[in-house]
Amino acid sequence: MKTFSSLLEKLLFTPSRNRKKSALKEYIANTPDPDRGYALAAITGDFKVKNITASFYHELIKDQVDYELFKMSYDYVGDLAETISLIWPIRSVKNQEELSLHAFINLINENSKSEQKKIIFDLMNKSNANQRWSIIKLTTGGFRIGVSAKLVKLALAEYGNKNIEDIERIWHGLSYPYLNLFEWLENKSFKPKIKFSDMFHPMMLAHPINEEKDFNNLKPRDFVAELKWDGIRIQLVLDNKNKKVYSRTGDEISQSFPDIVDNIYGNAVLDGELLVGRKFEALPFNFLQKRLNRKKPSKKIINEIPAFVKLYDILFENGNDLRDLPLSKRRYILSNWLKLNPSECLDISKIIDFKDWNDLKQIKIENTEKFNQEGLMIKSKNSVYLSGRPRGHWFKWKKNPLFLDTILMYAQRGHGKRSSYYSDFTFGVLNDNAIVPIGKAYFGFTNEELKKLDNWVRKNTINSFGPVREVKKELVLEIAFDSINESKRHKSGLALRFPRIHRIRWDKPTSETDYLKDIKKAFF
Amino acid sequence: MMAVENAIITHGHADHARIGHQNVLATQNTIDIMKIRYGDKCAGSFQSIEYHKPLKINNLNFTFYPAGHILGSAQILIETNNSRLLITGDYKTSPDSSCQSYELVECDQLITEATFGLPVFQHPKPENEIKKILKAFEKNDTKTYIIGAYALGKSQRVIKLLRDAGYDETIYLHGSQLKICNYYISQGINLGNLEPVSYKKSEDFEGKIVIAPPSALKDKWSRRFSDPVICYASGWMSIKQRAKQSLVEIPLIISDHCDWNELITTIKSCKTKSVWVTHGREDALVHWCKTNNINAEPLYMQGREEE
């Protein structure tokens, strides 16, 4: 545990990406199996400890310190793992044998919750603050140390002197502690054999288009366009035995969508957008939100909000890897595949014809303004399917944002590096003589603006509720957002999609901001 | 804080020692430090007072005791015939060889600071913290290590800790640090060989330790060093996200204030019946006092803002 916790501390505080990568390589080179594999899996998020949540630690700390003092501390520090690791009473415990990372993980996974509590209590007593922090982060997940899975893979590629795309393509077929991977990297064995048909494959992502630059350089005839659907990007992995739905990050979400899993057939890996609605008519995103993160959706909600998929691409068919074929060829295969494997919840995302970029601009305006679409995708006909966000192949062209003038109502302190700033803002709109909340935003401003906002909040507080401050209703925030829908989430009965603070209108009186009834008139 | 007719000053830090008072009463060290930093005419007149020697003002006895915060720092005991009020000023009870050692003073009413008045602040031993730099040195001695430390107090303490840990190379100083270091040396604090940074090239600092005020780390000044390792000596460094926010690569948790355990130990040991808490996180310490059957109130000082 000690070397692992030193690695985490080093990764957290090293600002340079290259030096982080070196630290990872050094750790891989000097740490025995299976510890190094567990460590990397923990950092990339592939490995999670079961059953331990934030509430586990709240219960643990309740028995150690005055809970009121803990709450004050947590409010100040802003991060649970940090608060507990720092507040833990320092006890002089005899230094017993060092517990290795994998031994600790096995111990935790094999035991019941009450045993887990004893094990962690003992280990916390034997550890210093940094080690305690590592234990909590390891067991609750999410280190936030500025290391992506990509950086880990790069370190592995450099350590073994291998090609990064080779590692990317097998990565999701590997499982920790990656013994076969390390053997290959150390040239003690061949590249691990992966069963491609039942794993997630890293997705290809798009860059935002730069209208001035890109349209001058790109030839319209080399590209196709399609709608940018406002759902969630998914991958369907189908073979005779398994049918799985993965999110764009490779998390399996099949359980939440039995209506899809039960109605698709065939042997393929497909890329598409998950949407909700009937007859392939997509409902706004907030309807889809009601289906997300439900492990077992009820029949009622499935009937009310059925899911379907708009297909973009095909990566494998009957076990054959199609990723090195050009997009135009893959789309042809995709439409034939769907004819052979029709389903009431699969539809093709249609290709949009266009003459030139001006023509496409008209199409974009029509689709986004009249039909409330999110924007367009522009893809090179010749593009092969690469992992990550390669340059020059796929572009997204988002619609122009909409704006509202709103009034700041509440502010809450942020987390992590924003824990000392009031950085989460709830804003509202006028409704007769009252102000009703319409949304929350925590980005869109510069660091300088954040300092000013924070200062303003502290000086204009009229009420405090724990970490939340109610402020004088005097500051106007111009909010940019992508779309607006009816919703029960806020008192106004409306919800904004992607709200961000566009401008802080220090100059504008609140009497000149938008009224709820006018907003409803304008958008519905 | 406004300029007043008669000011009693605990120590030389800028948020405690302001300019423009008519008459200043303080320890000789504090008076010297004020004159070095603000000039001989920063107050109308100065009266120095020795530790432990009571001075009668308007039928009240004023006695200064060492506060262990920086050189010359003092706690002030104010006595009537039947009651003792102690104002701690900024203080720390843990050992520090760069200033006079803290002394416990018993009292009936305590006014304590609470800069680190939350139980998350449990400062580690500074001797171990300073080793972080020396260990990094062993691994890579081609880098320049810049330590951010306040010019008065922290800087000298860091230098002293380095010396006590056996580091005897020349230590380089930002221009603003030199005068106070020289003053400490004149008072018998051995800081070893020190040199100003000025007029040297980047290569000259490879494998060296440089001490600069925290503000200089983000300033143009630091551009003269190529790819330095940024270190920062402060009690706040125990909070990882704070350290990360200031782009610190080696956080050194070295504080010149009491941590939580020292604060509550002091409150218990000084046998006070009542505590007023100021300068920091008052709520938590007040809560602790009340749950331990000690009267306590937050004391909000006029003209003071959180730094």
Side-chain angles (χ1 to χ4, degrees), chain B residues 67-69 91-96 102 157 255-258 262:
Chain B
H69 178 59
Y91 71 115
K92 72 168 174 293
T93 60
S94 55
D96 174 356
Y102 165 86
R157 181 157 184 229
S255 168
D256 287 331
H257 296 269
C258 287
E262 288 163 1

Side-chain angles (χ1 to χ4, degrees), chain A residues 429-436:
Chain A
V429 292
L430 295 166
N431 185 24
D432 300 326
N433 288 326
I435 301 170
V436 286

Side-chain angles (χ1 to χ4, degrees), chain B residues 121-139:
Chain B
F121 295 108
Q122 306 189 80
H123 299 322
K125 286 199 166 123
E127 306 88 271
N128 293 337
E129 289 299 295
I130 209 74
K131 279 184 199 151
K132 285 187 190 168
I133 294 224
L134 301 177
K135 273 189 191 155
F137 237 108
E138 277 172 32
K139 268 198 148 179

Side-chain angles (χ1 to χ4, degrees), chain B residues 60 77-85 107-109:
Chain B
L60 296 170
L77 179 71
I78 306 173
E79 287 169 291
T80 63
N81 285 337
N82 50 20
S83 181
R84 291 158 65 88
L85 164 69
C107 61
D108 304 306
Q109 173 70 50

Side-chain angles (χ1 to χ4, degrees), chain A residues 405-409 426-430 435-439 513-514:
Chain A
D405 279 334
T406 67
I407 302 162
L408 179 59
M409 301 179 72
T426 302
F427 44 85
V429 292
L430 295 166
I435 301 170
V436 286
I438 192 170
T513 59
D514 293 303

Side-chain angles (χ1 to χ4, degrees), chain A residues 14 38 46 126 151 197 200 226 273 286 425 450 486:
Chain A
T14 307
Y38 278 107
D46 288 342
K126 282 191 264 176
L151 192 67
S197 56
F200 169 77
E226 60 190 314
E273 190 93 1
N286 58 318
F425 303 100
L450 175 59
E486 289 180 331

Side-chain angles (χ1 to χ4, degrees), chain A residues 9-15 19-20 26 66 68-70 72-73 76-77 79 82-83 86-90 129-130 132-133 144 416-417 419-421 458, chain B residues 118-123 132 139 143 227-229 236-245 247-251 260-261 281 283-285 287-288 291 306:
Chain A
E9 188 178 31
K10 186 150 194 192
L11 292 173
L12 175 71
F13 287 123
T14 307
R19 256 142 70 185
K20 279 185 206 263
E26 197 185 314
D66 180 337
E68 281 304 308
L69 289 175
F70 168 76
M72 289 178 195
S73 300
Y76 178 78
V77 176
D79 179 282
E82 267 229 83
T83 311
L86 292 171
I87 207 171
W88 192 268
I90 293 169
N130 187 51
R132 289 192 288 267
W133 174 76
R144 291 209 212 169
K417 84 177 177 187
S419 61
S420 64
Y421 289 102
R458 288 171 195 272
Chain B
L118 279 173
V120 282
F121 295 108
Q122 306 189 80
H123 299 322
K132 285 187 190 168
K139 268 198 148 179
K143 293 246 172 221
D227 197 22
V229 178
W236 301 114
M237 290 296 109
S238 61
I239 296 183
K240 287 182 169 23
Q241 290 300 344
R242 275 227 182 184
K244 181 106 188 94
Q245 205 174 350
L247 298 176
V248 173
E249 204 163 332
I250 305 184
W260 173 260
N261 298 321
R281 265 123 282 279
D283 301 354
L285 207 55
H287 173 87
W288 180 88
T291 52
E306 196 185 340

